């Protein structure tokens, strides 16, 4: 089944303890992206990647890192999480990027992160 | 910077009724895409419909259609013959094609409830 898989679904951690949220897609997609969803703010883009070893900042990259060493994986790293990073996170992928006609964005099921 | 505004935080209609969700956006660009995404309680984000700005004809997907008013920068979603399964959070999103950056800007969302 074609899908975007995020892990974990739920995570509770403490301030300053490094964590990684994994994202993997099995559709050979070139484009991958991370978003955070907060009430009243909608979804905001954190980072995106057009292909292996190519990443770029979204609108809210501060406090986050990403890597794209393999095409299928795009982990989100929080080196020193803070309470303001408590949010619902989504990973998404598409075949060739958002501007391609037949390249819709496929989302993972989300990761609920709580930083205390 | 582009902004997307959904002025209706919540809406509620009876099953089989028609409902319209509003979305306005602000941009000085001429080449862009607009999207409506649906997020049911399962949290998965699902693409509902897409509109290319250069197309004058409004996009339609089965019971879903849009009213795209480019001059007014308005992009409303109409759901006809609403069904219980349409209950979800709906997000309007904008993507600027001119800059080449692969960024989606989302609105705040509208929570739609379809009542039996």
């Amino acid at each position: 089944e074609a899908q975007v898989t995020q892990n974990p679904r739920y995570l509770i951690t403490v301030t300053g303890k490094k964590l990684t949220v994994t994202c993997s897609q099995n559709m050979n997609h070139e484009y991958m992206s991370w978003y955070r969803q907060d009430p009243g703010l909608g979804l905001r883009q954190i980072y995106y990647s057009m292909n292996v070893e190519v990443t770029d900042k979204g609108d809210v990259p501060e406090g986050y890192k990403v890597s794209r060493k393999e095409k299928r994986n795009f982990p989100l790293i929080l080196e020193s999480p803070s309470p303001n990073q408590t949010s619902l996170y989504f990973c998404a992928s598409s075949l060739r990027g958002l501007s391609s006609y037949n390249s819709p964005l496929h989302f993972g099921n989300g990761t609920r992160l709580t930083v205390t | 910077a582009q902004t997307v505004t959904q002025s209706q935080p919540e809406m509620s209609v009876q099953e089989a009724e028609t409902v319209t969700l509003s979305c306005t956006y602000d941009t000085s660009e001429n080449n862009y895409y607009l999207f409506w995404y649906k997020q049911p309680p399962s949290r998965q984000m699902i693409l509902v419909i897409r509109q290319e700005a250069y197309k004058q004809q409004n996009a339609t997907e089965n019971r879903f259609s849009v009213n795209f008013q480019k001059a007014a920068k308005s992009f409303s979603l109409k759901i006809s013959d609403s069904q219980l399964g349409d209950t979800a959070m709906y997000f309007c999103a904008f993507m600027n094609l001119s800059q080449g950056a692969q960024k989606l800007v989302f609105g705040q969302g509208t929570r739609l409830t379809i009542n039996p």
Side-chain angles (χ1 to χ4, degrees):
Chain A
E1 180 189 351
Q3 60 185 358
V4 178
T5 303
Q6 288 179 234
N7 280 298
R9 291 290 304 273
Y10 300 91
L11 179 59
I12 301 174
T13 189
V14 296
T15 299
K17 186 176 181 181
K18 181 179 177 179
L19 66 91
T20 299
V21 183
T22 63
C23 174
S24 180
Q25 50 88 9
N26 61 0
M27 297 169 278
N28 200 35
H29 283 177
E30 292 181 353
Y31 177 90
M32 298 186 76
S33 182
W34 277 103
Y35 300 86
R36 61 176 288 174
Q37 181 179 355
D38 302 289
L41 296 177
L43 284 86
R44 293 177 292 169
Q45 192 168 29
I46 302 171
Y47 270 95
Y48 66 93
S49 169
M50 290 299 296
N51 214 325
V52 176
E53 302 292 1
V54 180
T55 63
D56 209 345
K57 295 178 181 179
D59 292 321
V60 288
E62 296 78 17
Y64 304 95
K65 284 175 57 177
V66 292
S67 69
R68 189 89 182 274
K69 294 185 171 62
E70 306 166 280
K71 199 171 188 179
R72 64 183 291 125
N73 295 323
F74 190 48
L76 180 69
I77 303 156
L78 284 73
E79 294 271 4
S80 182
S82 61
N84 65 11
Q85 292 179 298
T86 291
S87 187
L88 178 60
Y89 291 85
F90 285 96
C91 180
S93 73
S94 71
L95 183 60
R96 298 203 196 294
L98 300 177
S99 58
S100 297
Y101 183 75
N102 287 317
S103 185
L105 204 55
H106 297 259
F107 282 82
N109 285 332
T111 296
R112 172 74 68 185
L113 172 65
T114 302
V115 184
T116 61
Chain B
Q2 288 82 19
T3 58
V4 178
T5 302
Q6 293 176 249
S7 58
Q8 305 151 311
E10 293 188 24
M11 295 187 72
S12 178
V13 298
Q14 296 299 120
E15 192 176 7
E17 289 183 348
T18 294
V19 59
T20 299
L21 309 183
S22 66
C23 172
T24 58
Y25 58 95
D26 184 25
T27 184
S28 58
E29 302 295 336
N30 197 45
N31 191 17
Y32 51 88
Y33 287 173
L34 294 161
F35 306 85
W36 277 98
Y37 281 91
K38 169 185 176 181
Q39 185 182 42
S42 65
R43 299 198 323 221
Q44 174 71 301
M45 293 284 286
I46 302 165
L47 176 65
V48 175
I49 201 165
R50 182 177 86 173
Q51 176 80 41
E52 291 88 344
Y54 66 87
K55 288 187 178 179
Q56 291 186 335
Q57 187 174 5
N58 289 324
T60 299
E61 290 287 341
N62 301 313
R63 297 183 295 109
F64 299 87
S65 61
V66 299
N67 183 5
F68 174 48
Q69 302 288 328
K70 191 172 184 179
K73 296 179 184 174
S74 170
F75 183 60
S76 61
L77 174 70
K78 185 172 82 171
I79 306 174
S80 303
D81 186 25
S82 58
Q83 301 174 359
L84 297 180
D86 295 332
T87 292
M89 195 79 168
Y90 286 82
F91 291 96
C92 178
F94 171 97
M95 185 180 79
N96 177 17
L97 294 171
S98 305
Q99 296 170 339
Q102 299 286 326
K103 296 182 181 181
L104 265 182
V105 179
F106 285 86
Q108 305 91 326
T110 296
R111 185 174 301 282
L112 175 65
T113 302
I114 309 299
N115 298 308

